Amino acid sequence: MESIGTGLATLDTDGHRADIRLARPEKRNAMNEALMGDLTSAFEQASAREGVRAITLLGEGPVFCAGMDLHMMRDRVEEDSNINREVFPELLDAIETARQPVVAGIKRAAPAGAFELTLPCDFRILGSGATYGVIEVKLGTFPHGGATQRLPRLVGLSKAKELVLTGEFIDPEEALECGLVHEVCDDESVDERAKAFADDLCENAPLGLRNAKEALNAALETPLQQGLELERALGRELDDTRDYREGFEARIEEREPEFRGE
């Protein structure tokens, strides 16, 4: 396991899967500036690492993440504060633009900023006992780390307004029903289930995963015709690849394909 930056995040690889962990368990992985910077570096490194086909985002210890460090949030309003307000948006962008699909394993707690941390991930595995939601309207502000923009795209505007404006946590089963998360399991099983989910993704063609993610991410941001043109262009990129031929040959020969990302 490799420590990143100041040591508040770690990066490990297991086969074609990269595991990124928040590593501040003594503070329930609450995010300060150093931790967010380390996570950004970890995602940039994992995304660029050859052979990585899927990434998990996990929390070291019993809790995924308690949200933002409260002392940092209090101190950043001081006139002489030198806290970088761009570090969180930069982290979310690094997750969203990772070439590989990202699976978040959310156990026991992910309120406020931690909730927003999971939104740019491609898949979310939620613990059945997790406190999960945006509570900022109860703290004198509102969630402005991406929730007002990403959440409606996931669950629709009406449900997003309910979650943001009431500031209430969402029940895990309700989160599953409305499409906010992809699976609910026991909190003790979250990390292993997220890894298994990512391992299943790793069995697919890595170039296909990469281009499909790019096309899907553009789907709600571009007019239909422009999106279709992008989809076709990304498909043509793969026509002459070794994996394209391997995939069809394996199906014809009734065997498992051996993808190489070539």
Side-chain angles (χ1 to χ4, degrees), residues 22 31 39 43 57 64-65 68 88-89 91-98 100-106 110-126 132-136 142-156 159-161 163-164 170 175 178-182 213 216-217 220-221:
L22 294 80
M31 291 182 287
L39 285 174
F43 271 96
L57 176 60
F64 173 68
C65 177
M68 291 295 179
F88 192 46
L91 167 57
L92 301 183
D93 288 345
I95 296 172
E96 200 156 50
T97 59
Q100 304 87 345
V102 178
V103 183
I106 309 158
F115 178 92
E116 292 184 292
L117 177 65
T118 69
L119 296 184
C121 297
D122 301 291
F123 302 96
R124 286 161 291 279
I125 309 297
L126 183 64
Y132 188 53
V134 277
I135 60 173
E136 282 87 343
F142 75 98
H144 51 279
T148 66
Q149 303 304 304
R150 291 187 175 97
L151 193 54
R153 288 166 165 79
L154 293 172
V155 300
K159 190 65 178 180
K161 284 184 176 180
L163 293 172
V164 171
I170 186 170
C178 73
L180 177 56
V181 302
H182 298 81
K213 177 175 175 176
L216 287 163
N217 280 350
L220 298 181
E221 310 298 332

Side-chain angles (χ1 to χ4, degrees), residues 6 23 32-33 58 90 147 153-154 194 244 262:
T6 66
N32 59 11
E33 188 173 345
L58 310 170
E90 289 169 359
R153 288 166 165 79
L154 293 172
Y244 180 94
E262 301 171 355

Side-chain angles (χ1 to χ4, degrees), residues 44-217:
E44 291 172 348
Q45 292 181 38
S47 179
R49 188 165 293 184
E50 187 174 352
V52 171
R53 299 183 184 179
I55 301 170
T56 64
L57 176 60
L58 310 170
E60 187 69 40
V63 172
F64 173 68
C65 177
M68 291 295 179
D69 184 284
L70 296 180
H71 292 89
M72 179 189 71
M73 297 302 289
R74 179 199 62 193
D75 295 344
R76 76 175 188 169
V77 300
E78 301 298 327
E79 289 185 7
D80 59 350
S81 173
N82 59 0
I83 293 173
N84 179 7
R85 290 175 175 266
E86 295 304 312
V87 67
F88 192 46
E90 289 169 359
L91 167 57
L92 301 183
D93 288 345
I95 296 172
E96 200 156 50
T97 59
R99 297 185 303 167
Q100 304 87 345
V102 178
V103 183
I106 309 158
K107 58 189 178 187
R108 293 190 174 85
F115 178 92
E116 292 184 292
L117 177 65
T118 69
L119 296 184
C121 297
D122 301 291
F123 302 96
R124 286 161 291 279
I125 309 297
L126 183 64
S128 58
T131 51
Y132 188 53
V134 277
I135 60 173
E136 282 87 343
V137 294
K138 297 180 180 293
L139 301 173
T141 181
F142 75 98
H144 51 279
T148 66
Q149 303 304 304
R150 291 187 175 97
L151 193 54
R153 288 166 165 79
L154 293 172
V155 300
L157 182 58
S158 179
K159 190 65 178 180
K161 284 184 176 180
E162 176 188 333
L163 293 172
V164 171
L165 299 181
T166 65
E168 300 293 339
F169 292 119
I170 186 170
D171 179 80
E173 289 300 328
E174 184 182 357
L176 180 64
E177 291 174 5
C178 73
L180 177 56
V181 302
H182 298 81
E183 189 173 320
V184 173
C185 64
D186 293 338
D187 287 280
E188 294 76 11
S189 305
V190 165
D191 286 3
E192 291 308 311
R193 182 62 200 130
K195 292 178 184 179
F197 195 105
D199 284 338
D200 288 343
L201 295 171
C202 289
E203 295 180 5
N204 296 322
L207 298 179
L209 288 173
R210 182 196 68 191
N211 283 20
K213 177 175 175 176
E214 182 178 346
L216 287 163
N217 280 350

